[in-house]
Amino acid sequence: SYPVLMAADILLYKGTLVPVGEDQVQHVELARVLARKFNRAYGETFPEPKPKLNRAARIMSLTDPTKKMSKSHGESSYIALTDEAAVIEKKISKAVTATAGGGKNPGVENLFAIMREVSEPATVSSFMEQERAGTIKYAEFKKRLAADLAEHLAAFRARRAALDKNPK
């Protein structure tokens, strides 16, 4: 029933552009189909929403970068929008970067995907160059990522706290 509930949430607020990960696009498509059918039966009521994917269309678990980020994998596997800076730093510092085998490292790629969304392009470029050169210090990389991510979420946390204080 999750896809139908998501479609209902989208349609209820007459969303037109819905930010989702690539694994949620099919749910937005269901909302489009339902809007079309409802509008055909009862008149123009709901806009047909479209998915909005960002560059990091799928963020993986911090503890197992072969699985998508999810609350069902445990508290340390994801960053909550309400996590305070210290919690974010702790979670990012424990994020998987070392994996067996050669080639691209999924843990590192995942952290770079997050960094590309929340950090300045110059910061991303600097750490990517260090990664290519083999001189990157993951502790510094993670510390910077955690700080940038905490700053990125600060306005959301502040607004949420203000709304929590005044539930009316």
Side-chain angles (χ1 to χ4, degrees):
S1 61
Y2 175 76
V4 174
L5 291 173
M6 184 173 174
D9 280 344
I10 294 166
L11 296 175
L12 172 68
Y13 297 103
K14 298 188 177 187
T16 56
L17 194 60
V18 184
V20 293
E22 67 184 7
D23 59 326
Q24 300 292 312
V25 170
Q26 70 272 19
H27 301 314
V28 178
E29 186 55 34
L30 175 61
R32 290 171 59 80
V33 168
L34 293 173
R36 236 178 273 132
K37 287 184 178 187
F38 190 95
N39 291 343
R40 214 175 11 252
Y42 300 104
E44 203 60 34
T45 306
F46 299 112
E48 285 189 37
K50 292 185 172 88
K52 176 172 183 344
L53 293 169
N54 58 20
R55 291 173 296 187
R58 185 179 292 239
I59 300 295
M60 307 307 279
S61 168
L62 298 174
T63 55
D64 182 356
T66 64
K67 297 178 180 169
K68 74 176 189 165
M69 190 177 277
S70 171
K71 288 194 265 183
S72 62
H73 297 144
E75 178 107 3
S76 60
S77 71
Y78 68 94
I79 303 293
L81 295 174
T82 55
D83 281 348
E84 294 295 331
V87 174
I88 291 171
E89 184 172 2
K90 183 177 180 183
K91 288 179 179 182
I92 294 290
S93 73
K94 292 182 178 184
V96 171
T97 51
T99 56
K104 288 195 172 196
N105 181 317
V108 173
E109 292 295 317
N110 189 44
L111 294 178
F112 269 113
I114 297 169
M115 183 176 259
R116 280 190 287 277
E117 292 300 318
V118 300
S119 299
E120 292 294 323
T123 300
V124 178
S125 295
S126 173
F127 280 109
M128 288 184 84
E129 183 54 41
Q130 292 173 42
E131 173 70 10
R132 279 191 289 278
T135 60
I136 192 167
K137 293 181 175 108
Y138 288 115
E140 291 175 14
F141 169 66
K142 289 177 174 183
K143 193 166 189 68
R144 180 59 184 265
L145 172 58
D148 289 351
L149 184 55
E151 183 180 326
H152 183 77
L153 296 174
F156 175 86
R157 285 192 314 272
R159 179 73 174 130
R160 169 89 187 252
L163 290 171
D164 282 345
K165 285 182 182 176
N166 185 7
K168 290 181 183 179

